[in-house]
Amino acid sequence: MIGIRGRFWRSVTLSFAIGPLAVLTACTDSSVAVRAPSPAASATVLPHSDQLQAAVDAVNDVAAAKGYALHSLTVAEVLEWFDDAKNFELLRSERGPAESQLRQGLLPQAGGAGQLAVPAASSPASASPTAGAEGQPVIIGSGSYGFELIGPQDSASGSAEIVITPFNLPIVDDDGYVRYERYLKSLLTPDLDLGREAFRGTPAPATDATLDPAVRVRVTPTVLKGKAKAEPAQRAALKVEIRLTADTLDGAARYFGTGFGAQAMRTRLAERLGGSGEAWVNLAEVLPNWVGDRVNTFPSGADTDVCYGAAREFYAPQQDERHNASTEASSLLLGGHYCLLGNDVAPTFGDYLSVPNQHAGRYVLRDPASGRDVSFSVQSGGNAPYRFAWLDEDFSASPFAGEPDPTVLTTRVDVWRRCR
């Protein structure tokens, strides 16, 4: 895909500290496999309270013994890296336990706090220029977390690096400590400013900004026609309509104008209302960009048909086929301009919805009749449309099963709001 250089995003099922990651949905790209850590042949068991420091010390010692001119990693940098990366790399349920263990000086692992197994050949006492085969783990926790020293001949860049597992992302390279943001930027072609968006208006604070209840809403399940890129096509979608009157124009414009400009949206809504006292308007007809044109249709040609690209370009006038569909660009956008909301804040139109490494989309509205939320997204694979869909199905572990998961917004989906 154009727009990416360096190591391509990994989308695989990983086993984390607090259990296996759910099987990835159709939205993820699995074109590149992840290098699997190799188990240590023998190990020296260290007290669990020394796990994190011992891991850092050991990988630094072996790097020095091998003559790699690498920055000396510190525990503070590991914790900083985790703080930067956790909301983009881990599911909501995984973050708390992993962070708690790390801050206790542990390496998070399955079954709670255990002990660190340091490969004997890589322990500080026995490190030597020949200790450990190139590309094999220098040190790895007995659970899931640790570090891996990669030699120049085993890395794509030809440089030595220390990789943090299970993420398989560099935390140290020849240029020094690799902040998570710098790693993301290194993968994106510099002339494509993928960390920004065409957002109009003042970013909303992290407070409730729900649709004026005077604006009536009608959500109707529909079966889409048209040709999908692949079969069997997923044709279930929702038609969303709003009832406009002279009294509700301002409320509707404030809500649906988020990111598009409230005044511009009011003008569009007023045109649809015309001289009549009231009118039911298809929401797709008032969205002023490619989303309004293409919602509830199937991607075709060079259309972005991966959820990350469609979610990131939600406010763009048109899709840009040069833009890649990786999660790195989305992470940069969220990290630079969005705030992660808590469960106490109701989502609003345009909020970015994310299940890390699995699915992404945008929030649309709550249907008062059913009490269910509506989202916009596309699932990759060529058989799914750009669509309005029930959020509790679209962002569930089984998006095409037709089985709602009413807990998704509090247990599974991260809601991000443009705040800067």
Side-chain angles (χ1 to χ4, degrees):
M1 298 179 183
I2 298 174
I4 296 184
R5 59 185 175 85
R7 191 194 310 228
F8 189 74
W9 182 262
R10 320 91 48 246
S11 290
V12 297
T13 300
L14 298 175
S15 178
F16 283 88
I18 46 83
L21 186 66
V23 175
L24 298 183
T25 70
C27 183
T28 52
D29 187 302
S30 56
S31 59
V32 178
V34 174
R35 178 181 59 251
S38 301
S42 59
T44 300
V45 177
L46 298 177
H48 73 272
S49 60
D50 298 327
Q51 285 187 12
L52 185 54
Q53 186 64 61
V56 168
D57 289 344
V59 75
N60 286 335
D61 287 343
V62 176
K66 289 179 175 291
Y68 299 151
L70 289 175
H71 165 84
S72 184
L73 182 63
T74 69
V75 168
E77 290 167 342
V78 174
L79 296 177
E80 180 181 57
W81 189 95
F82 185 85
D83 279 343
D84 290 344
K86 64 185 178 184
N87 292 330
F88 307 107
E89 299 287 343
L90 294 178
L91 296 177
R92 290 181 64 169
S93 60
E94 297 169 336
R95 294 171 201 153
E99 183 172 17
S100 176
Q101 291 183 347
L102 276 171
R103 294 195 180 283
Q104 293 177 59
L106 311 177
L107 284 175
Q109 52 197 280
Q115 293 180 315
L116 169 69
V118 180
S122 300
S123 66
S126 59
S128 69
T130 59
E134 301 298 339
Q136 299 302 311
V138 168
I139 184 167
I140 189 168
S142 56
S144 299
Y145 287 71
F147 305 100
E148 185 175 355
L149 179 63
I150 307 299
Q153 63 269 42
D154 298 298
S155 70
S157 64
S159 301
E161 58 186 19
I162 296 173
V163 172
I164 188 168
T165 62
F167 307 105
N168 282 9
L169 300 181
I171 192 168
V172 171
D173 64 13
D174 283 353
D175 293 327
Y177 166 52
V178 181
R179 287 291 297 268
Y180 183 71
E181 182 180 8
R182 179 165 77 83
Y183 167 74
L184 296 180
K185 288 181 177 179
S186 74
L187 297 182
L188 302 174
T189 303
D191 63 338
L192 295 182
D193 193 0
L194 302 181
R196 296 188 180 183
E197 67 180 350
F199 186 96
R200 296 177 60 188
T202 303
T207 56
D208 287 340
T210 54
L211 178 62
D212 182 346
V215 181
R216 292 174 57 188
V217 173
R218 185 164 63 196
V219 179
T220 308
T222 184
V223 178
L224 302 180
K225 298 180 180 180
K227 182 177 177 57
K229 290 183 178 182
E231 295 291 341
Q234 301 294 331
R235 300 186 179 276
L238 300 174
K239 180 181 180 180
V240 179
E241 298 170 287
I242 56 174
R243 178 179 174 272
L244 296 177
T245 68
D247 293 334
T248 61
L249 275 177
D250 288 340
R254 280 194 302 270
Y255 186 81
F256 295 108
T258 302
F260 291 120
Q263 186 56 50
M265 179 58 68
R266 193 186 190 286
T267 299
R268 292 180 66 85
L269 294 175
E271 291 172 351
R272 298 305 187 279
L273 179 61
S276 60
E278 65 176 64
W280 281 98
V281 175
N282 188 335
L283 181 59
E285 296 176 0
V286 299
L287 298 182
N289 66 343
W290 74 270
V291 176
D293 293 336
R294 300 305 307 279
V295 66
N296 290 352
T297 69
F298 288 93
S300 62
D303 290 340
T304 299
D305 60 354
V306 176
C307 64
Y308 306 115
R312 190 183 64 255
E313 293 186 322
F314 183 76
Y315 288 115
Q318 298 293 333
Q319 288 184 308
D320 188 337
E321 65 185 50
R322 300 174 304 159
H323 284 197
N324 67 84
S326 77
T327 59
E328 287 90 351
S330 296
S331 296
L332 284 173
L333 173 64
L334 296 178
H337 300 283
Y338 281 67
C339 295
L340 183 60
L341 302 183
N343 289 344
D344 58 331
V345 180
T348 193
F349 180 80
D351 283 352
Y352 190 105
L353 307 174
S354 172
V355 180
N357 294 329
Q358 296 189 32
H359 194 34
R362 296 283 181 156
Y363 186 85
V364 179
L365 53 74
R366 168 157 287 201
D367 173 30
S370 65
R372 299 173 72 182
D373 298 288
V374 176
S375 59
F376 167 81
S377 77
V378 66
Q379 299 272 358
S380 69
N383 64 335
Y386 303 116
R387 63 174 182 163
F388 292 140
W390 296 121
L391 190 155
D392 55 15
E393 294 181 17
D394 191 33
F395 281 80
S396 71
S398 302
F400 300 129
E403 299 174 354
D405 177 0
T407 70
V408 290
L409 273 177
T410 56
T411 64
R412 179 174 170 82
V413 178
D414 289 322
V415 181
W416 295 81
R417 181 168 300 170
R418 178 79 184 222
C419 61
R420 51 184 178 268

